[in-house]
Amino acid sequence: MNATPFYLDYAATTPIKPEVIDAVSLVMKTHGNASSVHGFGRTAREYVENARRQLSARYHAKPSQIVFTSGATEANNTALQAFKQRPMIISAIEHPAVTQTALAIGQPIILKVSSDGVINLNHLEELLKANPQAFVSVMLVNNETGVIQPVKEAAALAKQYGAVVHCDAVQGAGRMAVDFKDLGVDMLSLSAHKLGGPQGVGALIVADNIKLEPFMMGGSQEARRRGGTENVAGIVGFGHAVSLLDADFAVTAQWEAWREGFEAKIRAAAPTAIIVGAKSLRVCAISCITMPGVRNDTQLMAFDLAGLAVSSGAACSSGKVQPSPVLKAMGINEADATSAIRVSSGWGTEPQELEKLAQSWIELYQRCSKTIAA
C-alpha cells in the first residue's frame, strides 16, 4: 500500500489533535449513560455538559441552544426537515448534505452566486419577495473553494421577509471566529472532525425562538430535540478540540502566507491555471486550482504516488469525472471544472508539504503539456 506522508486534505477531515485523543481515551476508560440517574450516569452527564459549555463559549451561544448530533449531515438534515413546509431557498454552492436533503423534501429554490463564488444578495431579495416566510440555507465557507459568504448580511435581509435562516458553518468554524449571535441566523451546523476533533459527532445551534422538531426519534435526550444515547467520548473530544482553537487562530496569517506562496508558484508556472475564488475573501487554508488540460483524477493518482494527499474539486461516479456543481454554478466551463483539485491544510501542516506539492504539480503540468503538444 502506498504511504502518504504529506496530508493536504484537511477540508475532508482534520487529523485529531493529540490532546483530543488523550481526552477521548480517558473518557472511554469510564462508562455510564448520560441519561442515567446514578453516579456513573451523572459523571457522563457532566462530561457532556462541560463540552456544551465549551462550544457555548467558543461560538457565543447559550449552552441550552446547543444540540449534539452524529455530525453536520444530521444537523443539516434536522434543520431542513424541521421547516420542510416552507419554501426552501438554498445557495447554488451548498454541501450535498443540504442540497440532497432539500431535493428529497421537494423542489428547492436556488440562490445564484457570482463568478467569484459569492452569493448574490440582490437575487436573494428577489426570491424572498416572491417567497415570504421562506427557509433559507447559506453556508459560511464553501467546502471546495474556501470562499467566505456574507451570511450576516443574508440573514438580516431574510429576517425582513419573515424567513428562518440556517447556516452550515462546518468549514469556517475551525478556521475563523464564528459568533452565532452576531451572524443573526436561527440555526448553525458544526462538525468536530473539521477542527481537530473525532469523526461522528457534530452539533446544531438553535435560537431560542425556534421550535425544533426532532429528526432522530426514540428518546428525550438533548432537551427532547434529538433522540439517542449521547456519544459521550465523541462529545468530549468535540468540546476539547474547540477549546484548543485559539492556537490555530494565532497562526492563520502564517497559513495564509504559505497558501499565497504556493498559489504564486502555480501561477508562475501555469498562467492559464485558475485559482478559483481568488478575488473573493477566503479562509486561510483552502485552495481550489485547475490544471489546464489535465483531468483531476489523473492529478490525484499522480500526487498520491508522489506521497501527497489532496482531493478533487469534482465528484467522480463510476469512473467518469463529473464537473463540480459548485464550479458550474460559478460559470466555470466543464474542461476547467474537471481539472480542479482542492488543497487544504491545517494545524499539522509544515511549509515543505506545500512546497513539495507545488513542485509535483508543476512537474506533472509540464509533462502533460508536452504530451498534449506532441
Side-chain angles (χ1 to χ4, degrees), residues 51-57 61-68 203-206 222 225:
R52 206 185 305 275
R53 290 189 289 270
Q54 288 171 316
L55 266 72
S56 167
K62 299 176 186 176
S64 61
Q65 293 174 326
I66 295 166
V67 180
F68 286 116
L204 182 67
I205 304 180
V206 185
E222 297 302 296
R225 295 172 296 186

Side-chain angles (χ1 to χ4, degrees), residues 10-49:
Y10 277 65
T13 193
T14 61
I16 303 179
K17 293 181 177 179
E19 304 95 322
V20 174
I21 294 174
D22 291 342
V24 171
S25 297
L26 181 64
V27 174
M28 293 186 75
K29 292 175 183 177
T30 67
H31 53 271
N33 189 314
S35 296
S36 297
V37 297
H38 49 59
F40 294 97
R42 292 196 302 273
T43 298
R45 171 55 54 194
E46 182 53 31
Y47 280 136
V48 170
E49 296 311 315

